[in-house]
Amino acid sequence: MTFLQAVLIALFAYLAWIATPWLGGQGISYHVFGKPLVAGLIVGLIMGDVKNGIIIGATINALYIGAVTPGGAMASDINIAGYVGTALALSTGVSAEMAVSIAVPLGLVGTFVWQLFATINSFLVHKTDKYAAEGNVAKLTFMTLGLPQMIAFVLRFIPVFLVLYFGASAAQNIVQFIPEWLTKIITVIGGMLPALGMAVLLKMLLSTPSLLGYFILGFILIAALGLPIFTVALIGAALAMISTLGKANQEGVYS
């Protein structure tokens, strides 16, 4: 991996982290650019292999499709799993299933980084409160936006860059020495993990039976009728709009 590729991927990993606001806040940066599917597209564009980047990103995303972060609680850092996992997989030339096995431990390590970031910020709160009480707008702005983002940049960009720039070649050497039987085992396990993600999603849907209908409809459209995934996505978006706007009209939101 080249120096520029490592810099660009690390930069996007920082911009799409849950702690950064620069790409439209958490609703866009983390919930769009932070998803492994989008990360796979971006990494694929940077590394010149869009097709495999999307395939790997989508496979990793399937594992975390039911993942949520209530109150900032993070079971796994899907951002670093998507960006670093896809980049290392493309660098080493491994399969999408094996890429999932790479992404899982990366996601767990990322949770410790998030906890470290939250812990450091907890010490800054009292100083921020002091500047707010004094009415010092300049220092208050720096404590709420400037300093936390400097810390976030150090905790996200630098580790990702170092892993990608110096670790990609080491990962290639490790992959070459992994015996074939172990590779098959890792591939099988990696192929099972996305099914686990779908199981988590189905468990969430079962708590709201009406949502399960959308899942069944999507399965029929793709598995039975063979419609393109983009067409099914548009149908899903249209049904979501009809359901949401219809409910809003019943509650008198637009009256």
Side-chain angles (χ1 to χ4, degrees):
M1 180 177 295
T2 67
F3 178 84
L4 180 59
Q5 287 175 333
V7 167
L8 290 175
I9 295 172
L11 179 60
F12 271 101
Y14 160 70
L15 292 174
W17 196 25
I18 192 172
T20 54
W22 310 121
L23 290 178
Q26 188 180 124
I28 298 177
S29 60
Y30 177 70
H31 290 292
V32 177
F33 290 96
K35 298 300 182 182
L37 175 59
V38 180
L41 170 62
I42 294 173
V43 172
L45 287 170
I46 293 173
M47 298 187 66
D49 192 353
V50 176
K51 178 182 177 181
N52 284 321
I54 293 176
I55 291 174
I56 292 171
T59 306
I60 295 174
N61 206 135
L63 171 61
Y64 300 107
I65 195 168
V68 293
T69 53
M74 186 181 296
S76 184
D77 191 336
I78 64 176
N79 168 284
I80 197 168
Y83 281 96
V84 180
T86 302
L88 289 179
L90 288 179
S91 297
T92 55
V94 299
S95 65
E97 291 77 15
M98 196 166 181
V100 175
S101 301
I102 296 174
V104 170
L106 289 172
L108 294 176
V109 171
T111 60
F112 293 109
V113 178
W114 166 248
Q115 292 167 1
L116 176 61
F117 175 76
T119 302
I120 293 173
N121 280 341
S122 67
F123 291 103
L124 306 179
V125 173
H126 302 294
K127 200 70 173 178
T128 305
D129 289 340
K130 176 177 178 294
Y131 291 139
E134 295 173 353
N136 193 326
V137 177
K139 290 184 178 180
L140 178 62
T141 302
F142 177 73
M143 291 299 294
T144 56
L145 187 61
L147 185 56
Q149 287 312 303
M150 292 179 184
I151 297 171
F153 185 83
V154 170
L155 292 178
R156 176 56 45 144
F157 176 88
I158 294 177
V160 171
F161 169 77
L162 292 176
V163 168
L164 294 180
Y165 189 63
F166 295 103
S169 58
Q172 288 177 336
N173 294 331
I174 293 173
V175 169
Q176 291 177 356
F177 285 101
I178 295 178
E180 185 177 352
W181 62 268
L182 182 56
T183 300
K184 290 181 178 179
I185 292 175
I186 296 174
T187 301
V188 171
I189 294 174
M192 293 170 60
L193 288 175
L196 177 63
M198 294 302 297
V200 173
L201 177 62
L202 285 173
K203 184 178 180 181
M204 294 171 59
L205 293 177
L206 288 174
S207 63
T208 309
S210 61
L211 295 179
L212 189 60
Y214 291 103
F215 178 85
I216 295 173
L217 177 61
F219 180 82
I220 293 172
L221 292 175
I222 293 177
L225 301 180
L227 293 181
I229 188 68
F230 182 72
T231 303
V232 176
L234 289 178
I235 294 173
L239 291 174
M241 290 177 62
I242 293 171
S243 176
T244 303
L245 295 177
K247 183 178 180 180
N249 284 329
Q250 289 178 359
E251 296 174 351
V253 175
Y254 298 110
S255 59

